[in-house]
Amino acid sequence: MAGDSTYVGTYSPVTGFIFLFNLIVGAGALTIPHAFAQVGLFYGLGALCLLGLVSYVSATFVIEAIAGVNALRRLSNPPVLTKQGSLTMILSGASQAVDEASEAVPFLTHIEEEEGYVAGLRFDISEKIEIAAIAQELFSRKGLAAFYACVAAYLYGDLAIYAVAIPKSLREIICPRPSANAAVWECPNVAMNSAQLYRILVVVFGLALGSFAFGHMQKTQCIQLITTIMRHASFALMIILAFVGIGRGEGRPVADVVAHEDITSLPNFFGVCIYSFMCHHSIPGIIAPISKKRSVGLVLLYAFIAVMVVYVVLSISATFRFQPSDIQDVYTLNFNDYPVRFIAYFLSLFPVFTLSTSFPIICITLRENLHTLFKGAPNSPASNRHCSPTTIFAIAAVVPPLLVALCTEDVGMLVGITGAYAGLGIQWVIPAAFVYCLRQRLVVLQTQLKLSSLPKNPYASPFGKMIWLYLTFALSAASLVVITYTRLFK
């Protein structure tokens, strides 16, 4: 999460939609069917729609914050004063660096004739500014530390999920589970039981991919293309195969599906859904290159609608096809015994290939966030003269998730916890806090410049009333209390 703002190339709104859709529909989507089936059809649909709506609202907050912080940064540059009749124009020097050939919002001015000021505020999203830079601009020192701690916690959870899902998927291929309810079983072809094999695969996984955390690695376009194709093919196959099974009479009766409900599983489903709608930390990098900036709002809306449709269809098809107790926490594992072995292996290996390409990137991101979080702290590893800070923070990034993976193989539980706590902070609390702090800063700016009003932010959230911020904070607090209470006392 770099803090630098840079102008980037452009692509069409359709491409932006595809990138955003691919970003949201990731590892979390594989855990939704299991959690959805546990809570029941109606509770699941209601919670999924509610959480999707809140996630969309908070995503619009991120876009508003990007535009607002870009405007504040330009005003922080030394102003260029020019006389024009009886008016004084205060222009941001940074505005001259804008490429006029690209589509950008015109430099907005407000004329205050009585005071003799024209204040330049250019609300713009064509510059890529990461959420870490937004936090640095808007948050206090303590708020910034809390921000980095939340990001680090989320990345730790993300890595733990990957460190469990990949070895678990490999284990199911090497030593297939004899029944859906089997916890530990013998693997005669490798002369050990399933638990031992899983732990060996965790260690091998850590040695193979953890080493990338000590260097620098970027996804190539080829890898992104391959993983994108695999992702869409896998989800399409799972939906089709579920409906084929239902059509053959292998599904559940409608009455059974409607009658099943378990509200005690709802808190875990909340965490899974929050994790599965996560995209907010990467929104700046996706929207900045979109050529038609005025269409960004529609791109975001259509992407969330498309994701919602996929999640609903995937969850409903799984719920009608399998008994809740039979749906694996990684949904692809439900198709391990499919008669067409190519399809069975393809779906089983889907988490292995797609998640493996992301693991090193997330490790490096976590390493850099840890470095930033502890920079300047007393006795910080960053000040260690005997060992490189990169090495220390890389070890700190890789080892804890692997230790968690050695202790549990419950992907659904990890997704639920990560989403319910760190994910809730990044997806709901931080975007709302961004907008709240931004609007306060703009009020102060208006007072300092002695203006009757400020230019309108064309990228402001359509949920602009303060009540939406308060509702987001209230829902976050309520969710946190209920989820924590349920996990501790139920």
Side-chain angles (χ1 to χ4, degrees):
M1 296 181 179
D4 296 329
S5 300
T6 56
Y7 284 94
V8 293
T10 61
Y11 47 64
S12 70
V14 174
T15 302
F17 166 84
I18 294 172
F19 284 173
L20 189 57
F21 178 86
N22 288 341
L23 175 67
I24 301 174
V25 182
L30 297 177
T31 64
I32 283 186
H34 171 79
F36 185 96
Q38 304 306 312
V39 299
L41 181 64
F42 296 114
Y43 283 133
L45 283 175
L48 192 60
C49 292
L50 172 64
L51 298 175
L53 173 62
V54 178
S55 298
Y56 167 69
V57 171
S58 61
T60 65
F61 290 161
V62 175
I63 295 177
E64 177 177 341
I66 294 170
V69 168
N70 273 328
L72 291 175
R73 284 188 159 193
R74 288 187 177 89
L75 280 180
S76 67
N77 293 334
V80 178
L81 301 180
T82 61
K83 286 286 185 178
Q84 187 176 28
S86 61
L87 300 178
T88 302
M89 300 185 68
I90 304 179
L91 303 178
S92 170
S95 65
Q96 300 174 4
V98 178
D99 181 6
E100 296 180 356
S102 65
E103 180 191 357
V105 182
F107 194 89
L108 302 176
T109 60
H110 175 80
I111 300 177
E112 187 75 24
E113 295 191 14
E114 295 180 358
E115 298 294 334
Y117 286 109
V118 175
L121 266 183
R122 181 173 178 273
F123 292 99
D124 175 38
I125 57 174
S126 60
E127 285 191 48
K128 180 183 177 182
I129 176 171
E130 301 290 354
I131 61 170
I134 298 175
Q136 290 172 352
E137 183 73 30
L138 298 177
F139 288 169
S140 65
R141 191 170 183 177
K142 291 182 179 179
L144 195 58
F147 166 82
Y148 277 112
C150 185
V151 170
Y154 175 78
L155 294 176
Y156 269 126
D158 223 9
L159 291 174
I161 292 166
Y162 287 17
V164 172
I166 295 172
K168 186 174 182 177
S169 297
L170 286 173
R171 192 266 312 275
E172 300 292 329
I173 296 173
I174 298 172
C175 181
R177 188 185 300 263
S179 65
N181 297 324
V184 179
W185 61 96
E186 293 299 321
C187 302
N189 54 335
V190 291
M192 62 183 71
N193 63 36
S194 60
Q196 294 168 332
L197 175 60
Y198 166 76
R199 290 184 175 88
I200 290 175
L201 290 173
V202 170
V203 173
V204 172
F205 167 80
L207 293 174
L209 293 182
S211 59
F212 288 106
F214 295 84
H216 299 277
M217 178 180 175
Q218 294 181 342
K219 289 183 180 179
T220 64
Q221 291 184 348
C222 181
I223 292 177
Q224 291 187 48
L225 177 61
I226 293 173
T227 55
T228 297
I229 293 173
M230 287 191 66
R231 179 184 293 114
H232 291 303
S234 297
F235 282 106
L237 273 174
M238 288 186 288
I239 292 172
I240 292 172
L241 294 179
F243 279 119
V244 168
I246 295 170
R248 291 176 177 174
E250 300 171 355
R252 299 167 60 193
V254 175
D256 181 37
V257 173
V258 173
H260 176 80
E261 59 182 37
D262 181 10
I263 196 171
T264 60
S265 299
L266 200 55
N268 185 67
F269 185 59
F270 264 56
V272 170
C273 287
I274 292 172
Y275 183 84
S276 300
F277 280 106
M278 181 64 69
C279 66
H280 302 61
H281 54 302
S282 298
I283 284 178
I286 290 180
I287 68 170
I290 294 178
S291 57
K292 297 180 180 179
K293 295 298 186 292
R294 295 290 185 176
S295 66
V296 164
L298 288 177
V299 169
L300 186 70
L301 175 62
Y302 292 156
F304 269 86
I305 291 175
V307 170
M308 179 65 71
V309 170
V310 170
Y311 285 174
V312 168
V313 174
L314 182 69
S315 300
I316 290 179
S317 62
T319 301
F320 276 90
R321 172 63 181 87
F322 301 102
Q323 290 292 334
S325 58
D326 293 338
I327 300 179
Q328 300 292 322
D329 54 359
V330 179
Y331 186 46
T332 52
L333 300 180
N334 276 86
F335 302 93
N336 276 358
D337 57 353
Y338 191 72
V340 181
R341 299 313 298 163
F342 171 76
I343 293 178
Y345 284 125
F346 177 81
L347 291 177
S348 298
L349 290 173
F350 162 66
V352 176
F353 289 130
T354 57
L355 301 186
S356 294
T357 59
S358 300
F359 187 85
I361 307 299
I362 299 174
C363 281
I364 294 171
T365 303
L366 176 57
R367 182 194 72 194
E368 295 304 314
N369 276 275
L370 291 175
H371 195 180
T372 302
L373 178 61
F374 290 101
K375 186 183 296 182
N379 301 318
S380 167
S383 60
N384 193 312
R385 298 181 180 179
H386 304 289
C387 188
S388 166
T390 297
T391 301
I392 295 174
F393 288 116
I395 294 173
V398 172
V399 172
L402 294 177
L403 293 178
V404 171
L406 289 172
C407 296
T408 182
E409 54 181 88
D410 190 342
V411 178
M413 179 268 293
L414 291 174
V415 170
I417 292 177
T418 302
Y421 294 100
L424 185 145
I426 293 176
Q427 189 178 119
W428 293 6
V429 178
I430 289 176
F434 279 165
V435 170
Y436 179 83
C437 294
L438 172 66
R439 292 175 183 175
Q440 296 299 313
R441 285 279 298 275
L442 291 176
V443 169
V444 172
L445 179 65
Q446 180 179 343
T447 302
Q448 290 176 342
L449 296 180
K450 301 179 181 180
L451 303 175
S452 60
S453 63
L454 288 173
K456 182 181 178 181
N457 183 350
Y459 302 104
S461 169
F463 308 93
K465 295 185 180 298
M466 292 299 292
I467 185 64
W468 287 101
L469 292 179
Y470 297 143
L471 284 175
T472 303
F473 287 131
L475 184 59
S476 300
S479 299
L480 194 62
V481 170
V482 171
I483 291 170
T484 303
Y485 175 81
T486 303
R487 291 193 177 278
L488 292 178
F489 301 106
K490 295 294 184 180

